[in-house]
Amino acid sequence: MPNKARTLDDGGLQAAMAFTTHLNAPTTHSALKKMLEALQACFKPWAWLLAPSWPNVLFAVRTTAAALLALGLAMYMELDSPGWTCITVWAVAAPSRGETVSKARWRLMGTALGTTMALTFTALLPQAPWLFFPTLAGWAGICAGMSTLSSNFRAYAWSLSGYTCAIIALDAAPNANHVFSFACGRATYVVLGIVCEAILGSVFSIDRASQALRATTKNLQNILSGLNLIIRDVMINQPGTEDAMEREIGAVITLGRRLEFAGLEMGPYTHAIDHARAMLAAVMMILTRCFGLALRLRALGRGTLPDHPITAALQQLLAEAKMDLLHGDVAPLLADIRQVRSLCAQDHLTSDETPEARVIRTGLADMLGDLELAIAEFSAIEHARPHVPEQDKFRFKHALWRDPVQALSNGVRAFLVVLASALIYEVTSWSMGMRLVTMVSVISCLFAPRDDARAGSFSFVKGTICATLAGWLLVFVLLPMTSVYEAYALALGSMMVLGGLARANPATADAAAAYGFMLTLVYSPNNQMLTNELQYFNMASALIASALMSFMAFHIIWPFDTRVVLKRALRHIILDVVHLASAPMASPIAWSSRLARRRALQHAERVWIMHGMDRFARIANRLHAQGTYVPLQLQADILNGTLAALTLGMNVMRLKSALQPITPALPPAVVARCKSLLRALAALGRFRTRPQREAALLHAEERAVAATKAAQNALEVETQPLVRRTLTDILAACVLIETLLKSWESFFKVQYSLVGPAPITP
């Protein structure tokens, strides 16, 4: 028996070892790995619901609590439509408190304007529907166009004023005598919802100003660190430098758009955001100079900068800069930058220094000057103290690029679709026709300023359908079982929390916004907490019909065509450079000294760069908009051409500033050649056909070569230091203009690649 037991134990041990060996086999491991990867891929789209992050949960709970508080107060006050308070809360809610405050502020302004226009239209046209509806549609079109010309939540304010006017005027249309009561009720809903959201937001946010300042400072530190690496990579010709530049520009643009919200969180008595904008402008100037330097090195067939004491000093400076930025002690770093810059700016030109070396040395001096400015502005952010406005009065405004053609098309589209919905109501006399017109106005105005309006309107349709399904569950299952507000709020809150989690997820944010907006309208809460099944079906059909009608309008009436919009944007870029070249020079009084000229040039470059930042962002967004496909090579040509345009504009301004009359005078031959170059650049905007443009571009390149030779010949015989420095600036500008014009050959061809019968879609 013992031997048998031992045999059985040995057999069991052998079976266990065999099973373990089977589990450890490579094929089994690979199969398990593939199965786990498949499960992860299946559940990844639902991670926002199954495994939400803590900030997302906090946002969903906070917003749901604010919406339920506003709804309860509206029911207690016995307002006519208490559900609009919930809609207001979800409309202004955002994961960032700065975004919420900004959106609430502009919502108040948009509501005030829309209410005023609704009172005006109702008073002027009380019994004239064939004048009332076109007027209402015209106002919606005006607001849609103005929202296209605005940015951030200023665009939201214009959109809101358009559909607020429709909501109030159409609700009061059956009984125009009560329009003022409807307007006051609408204003009450908005104010109550904003106040409730602000109260709950304040409870959940602690030390908001300090947190915003720390987050902004950290983001700016990351941008400076990335800029440090890009400068180093340009010097050593590191592969992938252009991609790194584009990523850095994307980070600068994204942060620049969010600075407004961070400023609201910090409070009104600090100018840290102005310093941050100035720093980002300096960073963009450095990136454009890096782009020009990389192009010049590539044109010379040189991989890296030439061996020189300045190059070695700059490399050592970049190696030490990262640690200085992390420790926050920028004073030694600024001193080192000034020292290296003084080496670059010294007039130690000798006969053996090549023109390329002079150009590169001048470019490095300009780059170091911008780097010094960026770090100085970064240091000023940390020293900007709130509640002491007299110690810091610095201001720096953000420039915007506006597309009037796109604004006009959006306005006309909104006018036509609202007018079409009104015609459907007049012809069919549908009992929910007023709601159809109202919701068509809402969707048309909301999505007008967006580049991805077609994709966004489809997300709105999906959100409306989800809200309809959730409303069915509330009306037919959950709410009939409740008799007190606590149970009512629990049932409603469960649906709102789901919407809040989806709203915090970027992939589902658009659909979740429609869900939060439509959910309250679908089940239509009243003061008695009663449900009406028939009203649910009527409201759901009207909401779905309005979403589908708006979706079709964005696809049929002047649909957003990336091909056409990009071509127009590229045309504007060329015209901006042409305007710089053709604009009259400043008065000699403004250029009484070299220092005054340098300051004026620095200001002009800042304005040009801030204007170009927004344009680059718009073009990049349109290239990567959902549902748009542009070949990678075409994307690279467009983005590189836009960067080349920014760099070209800066060098045109540098050339024009160097030509200002300062004693002693420049050689007449150099001035004549440079003015001929400027006239050739100004001629680029006169021609529209492809052969004419290519000939004009070739002529401009020839003028740039002639100006470069004239400046180089003058430098060989000139002895006065001031004139030599000015000639060096002219030489650097002309050489870079020549290089950039050659790179623009592919940029000009891009416009003709965008011509065709079909849009750029998969």
Side-chain angles (χ1 to χ4, degrees), residues 51-65:
S53 63
W54 174 245
N56 291 358
V57 173
L58 188 64
F59 167 75
V61 173
R62 181 192 74 199
T63 310
T64 300

Side-chain angles (χ1 to χ4, degrees), residues 214-241:
R214 286 194 296 268
T216 302
T217 303
K218 183 178 179 181
N219 291 332
L220 294 175
Q221 279 182 340
N222 294 335
I223 286 178
L224 286 176
S225 299
L227 180 66
N228 180 26
L229 296 177
I230 289 175
I231 297 175
R232 185 199 64 184
D233 292 344
V234 169
M235 294 176 61
I236 63 176
N237 194 23
Q238 183 73 19
T241 304

